[in-house]
Amino acid sequence: MKQSIIQWFKFGSPQAFYPLAGRMIPWFWAAAAAFGIAGLWISFFVAPTDAQQGEGYRIIFVHVPASWMSMFIYLVMAFWAGLGLALNTRLSGMMAQSLAPTGALMAALSLWTGALWGKPMWGAWWVWDARLTSELILFFLYLGFMALQAAIDDPRRADKAGAILALVGVVNIPIIYFSVKWWNTLHQGSTINLTKAPSMAHTMLWGMLLMALCFWMYSIAVALTRVRAIILERERHTDWVKHAVE
Amino acid sequence: MNAFLATVRRDLLLALRRKSEVLTAVFFFVIVTSLFPLGIGPEPVLLKKIAPGILWVAALLATLLGLPRLFAADHVDGTLEQMALSPSSLGLLVAGKILAHWLLCGLPLVLLAPVLGLQFDLDASALGILTLALLLGTPLLSLIGAIGAALTLGVRGGGVLLALLVLPLYIPALIFGAGAVEAHIAGLGAGGHLSLLAAMLALAVFFAPWATTAALRIALE
Amino acid sequence: MLNVSGLACSRGERRLFSDVGFSLAAGEWLHVQGENGSGKTSLMRLLVGLSPADAGEIRWCNEPTPSTEFRRDLIYLGHHAAVKEDLTPLENLQLAAALDGVALDERASLAALIRLGLRGREELPVRVLSAGQKRRVLLARLLTRPAVLWVLDEAFNALDVAAVKLLGELIAEHLSAGGMAILTSHQPLPVPGGKALVL
């Protein structure tokens, strides 16, 4: 037990984490590719054509996992941020910073695919559907986080300020989500729901699951790659980085 | 507690010496709400329908206008540093500053809203609900805004960044605040919306000064 | 009793100082010296608890700082004017005391302002005072706010000869009453004794 705690603290230092992340990245890329191929194969060739929505519904295989990831990444980001504030570990802030662009990408992807799906379904690129609206707000929260970090020069201060914002955001996300949902029902919004596609077949669920796993692996691989770059940038004046880059 | 009241008194006294800054936000509120009928047309049915939303969005933006000044002046002249080193808890002093901000930027909006609501043909009971919703909602805006103001203190392009950080967090207040008036007009009763606003306010009173204090300590490092 | 050990601080990638240590007992004062950019102000901000140290420990009466007790015993005057331009010197003193939760009657504030040579200026807005006079308003807090440890960063700047002498006297009085002081300055200070710390 004690041994494992020491191990964790060891990998909490950027210097120890850098090579570990380097070794893990190829595996996550490989897993992402494998899950992606399997997921796309099911979603394009195995899953049946939907009786009502035709072939267009297949975009949910990207839309739903992207939405999940965008929300989940914010939680993970807030977790790292909180850890960084509580324990004052340098790596936590770097992890939070490296996750934000991927989270924003997922939110943007979810919005874009939502719009593409909405055009044939609702006849409009944008509908003030509760899910899409909350996704848009989440996208703004990511942008705010990244803008705040970019605006502060001192990286340690940027980490801490970003951490507070992420924690404030994570408290607000459920409130925002339910308020938007309430607002939507009050205004008699669209009744078609993306995730509750009629006759959700078993194969569709599998396709979605595999795609979600693919997005997971992709996000981890990208975040680790980015965190390695951040470590190099921030620690560029230390001896080990000069040694590692050579 | 005395330090809390002293902070409120101090900020009110300072605002009294610089009246123009307070009045700017109020005039902004009046002008923005008056622009909408000019842009949309004077049709009473349409105006009545969009009135709650317009008044709330304008209140949101007017609050935002005063936020960058909340800590900036004290930061520049070093009095914020003295507050951070004061034996009184910084959280208490910050809470006092937020209350003063609401008294200066929020309360005038609450008092003006019924008058501006008349421009949009709202009836007396709808005006009452509007005022009540703003009375619950504007302190919430000041509390959440203070976190953003503290986070962007002394940061490049702070004003615009502040809007980007704070406006998404204002959305629930906007939805329930404007929703209360709309629900009342539609005959659904505004009780649910108002209690949710009050619940959010209670939550913010508890957490926002704490988060603001943490952000200020970081800004002072 | 102030005990400082192993203090280190860096700005960005640059290490300003490391392993700074000293202790102060009642009646002692420390003169922090060093060229521009050597980290005097950073050290002062670190000591009072405005910014965190990279390493090291600061203990006040054997308790780690920052604590409420430490803040009660501390008065820190930095580069900033730390007075509100729109208020009068009297209001500034009274409100600063109120924020600190210190009782201060008007007579005591007036006496402090008069001692600092601001007679007849108590009711003018600080905005119209000169830089040196603004500094004197701030220094009046040394008289109105009881504190054991004075941390004064470049307190002698912008002061005329008479005010430098007066501040020297105030510090000497404070020390002989069992107080402590930490001062930074490039000039020799008009206070006898004192430990020196060169960064």
Side-chain angles (χ1 to χ4, degrees), chain B residues 51-175:
Chain B
I54 288 173
L55 286 164
W56 260 91
V57 171
L60 223 88
L61 295 176
T63 313
L64 198 64
L65 208 62
L67 277 179
R69 282 197 309 272
L70 181 53
F71 299 114
D74 287 345
H75 183 51
V76 169
D77 65 20
T79 39
L80 192 62
E81 223 169 63
Q82 294 294 334
M83 286 186 191
L85 294 177
S86 164
S88 318
S89 116
L90 180 59
L92 211 58
L93 302 183
V94 163
K97 284 192 74 70
I98 297 173
L99 176 60
H101 177 265
W102 178 72
L103 289 173
L104 292 165
C105 289
L107 194 58
L109 306 185
V110 177
L111 299 176
L112 265 176
V115 182
L116 294 172
L118 286 175
Q119 288 186 321
F120 292 89
D121 194 28
L122 291 178
D123 57 34
S125 62
L127 288 177
I129 297 288
L130 175 71
T131 313
L132 195 58
L134 278 170
L135 195 63
L136 288 170
T138 44
L140 185 62
L141 301 183
S142 291
L143 283 161
I144 297 174
I147 304 175
L151 283 173
T152 54
L153 193 61
V155 165
R156 269 179 279 120
V160 185
L161 188 59
L162 176 62
L164 181 61
L165 298 189
V166 164
L167 285 178
L169 301 177
Y170 276 177
I171 287 168
L174 172 68
I175 288 176

Side-chain angles (χ1 to χ4, degrees), chain A residues 172-242:
Chain A
N172 270 282
I173 281 176
I175 300 176
I176 292 173
Y177 181 74
F178 286 111
S179 68
V180 169
K181 215 167 168 177
W182 175 304
W183 163 80
N184 190 249
T185 46
L186 186 79
H187 288 264
Q188 303 288 318
S190 54
T191 45
I192 304 169
N193 196 323
L194 272 176
T195 43
K196 283 192 201 131
S199 70
M200 174 84 102
H202 238 304
T203 43
M204 287 166 68
L205 202 63
W206 269 107
M208 233 183 259
L209 208 65
L210 284 171
M211 287 306 286
L213 281 170
C214 162
F215 278 34
W216 263 85
M217 297 300 139
Y218 163 82
S219 302
I220 295 173
V222 166
L224 286 178
T225 311
R226 203 175 282 123
V227 86
R228 264 165 67 93
I230 295 171
I231 289 174
L232 284 188
E233 195 185 341
R234 289 207 193 167
E235 311 250 312
R236 64 183 176 276
H237 292 269
T238 57
D239 287 333
W240 76 265
V241 168
K242 284 172 189 156

